[in-house]
Amino acid sequence: MTARPLVGVLALQGDVREHIVALEKCGATPTLVRRASELAAVDGLVLPGGESTTISKLLQTFELLEPLRARLRAGMPAFGSCAGMILLASEVLDTRADAEHLHGIDMTVRRNAFGRQVDSFEADLDFAGLDDGPMRAVFIRAPWVERAGEGVEVLATVPHGPAAGRIVAVRQGAVVATSFHPEVTGDLRVHELFVDLVRRGKAERDDLG
Ligand code: GLN
């Protein structure tokens, strides 16, 4: 399983560059995704941080919403950070009435959950299944997961402070989401985990023929 999988980064808005760099370092071949034909070609997709309502609108403009939902239903691995987490949710609180989401993970996410006064903060998280100690997490107007469905594995929660215990990283099958931005710290462990899921998905598909 040494082949470099082709991993798209949804490039409508947000911190696309940072994910491209991280994916490259993790042994994937990153590529920008702005149209349905590009989405069809990738083995997995990253949904970057940014502004979820803007990305939602652009998904409709670029006619990507339904193709993306279809690929997620068919099992495409995906990773969303921050706004990407919001987009992957099955239900979103405190968003615009016309915002669309992708139902990639059975979870309810609250936008800007940490409050306006805490625009951004950092914390050291224990991240399930990762070696080498806690992960420095950068939160920027971040959401949290208010409800995680039965099939959803909680990977990390806020360790202390007023939001202690809030869920900030989850996985359901091959879909991973974090409230924070692993793409900005240089800690590649979440991207590595994701690229590994993509490789496994690709190997399974290749086996099937
Ligand atoms: N607050 C943003 C939103 O609602 C997410 C912030 C981010 O991605 N850094 O989409």
Side-chain angles (χ1 to χ4, degrees):
M1 296 214 291
T2 50
R4 294 181 80 93
L6 186 67
V7 179
V9 180
L10 184 65
L12 303 177
Q13 191 262 339
D15 65 343
V16 174
R17 269 296 128 210
E18 290 81 353
H19 281 289
I20 295 276
V21 171
L23 289 167
E24 190 128 61
K25 287 186 183 155
C26 292
T29 298
T31 184
L32 302 179
V33 168
R34 289 201 190 88
R35 49 183 86 206
S37 57
E38 293 161 345
L39 175 65
V42 298
D43 300 312
L45 184 73
V46 170
L47 297 99
E51 175 50 53
S52 58
T53 56
T54 304
I55 299 174
S56 158
K57 219 176 285 166
L58 291 170
L59 280 172
Q60 295 170 72
T61 309
F62 282 70
E63 295 180 355
L64 273 171
L65 187 63
E66 287 312 324
L68 189 42
R69 283 183 177 152
R71 283 227 55 193
L72 287 166
R73 271 198 304 273
M76 177 184 69
F79 166 46
S81 62
C82 203
M85 168 188 262
I86 297 168
L87 287 161
L88 285 172
S90 51
E91 187 186 12
V92 181
L93 305 175
D94 291 342
T95 191
R96 291 169 53 112
D98 62 353
E100 299 279 356
H101 32 274
L102 298 164
H103 306 269
I105 295 181
D106 175 20
M107 62 177 172
T108 304
V109 166
R110 186 177 293 281
R111 262 180 90 220
N112 302 332
F114 294 89
R116 282 181 195 286
Q117 62 281 29
V118 256
D119 238 27
S120 77
F121 67 99
E122 299 188 14
D124 290 317
L125 307 178
D126 282 327
F127 199 104
L130 293 187
D131 303 329
D132 302 330
M135 173 173 297
R136 189 81 183 153
V138 176
F139 296 84
I140 305 165
R141 305 211 65 198
W144 68 42
V145 178
E146 200 138 316
R147 178 195 64 85
E150 252 175 46
V152 178
E153 185 188 356
V154 173
L155 299 175
T157 58
V158 176
H160 40 65
R166 289 294 182 178
I167 300 168
V168 291
V170 290
R171 175 166 90 99
Q172 182 170 28
V175 185
V176 179
T178 62
S179 302
F180 53 95
H181 293 268
E183 69 277 16
V184 304
T185 55
D187 184 334
L188 294 172
R189 287 177 290 171
V190 176
H191 288 84
E192 275 165 0
L193 176 150
F194 174 61
V195 170
D196 206 50
L197 287 172
V198 177
R199 272 205 193 96
R200 271 190 258 164
K202 189 172 152 59
E204 271 163 33
R205 275 199 315 284
D206 290 351
D207 276 355
L208 289 173

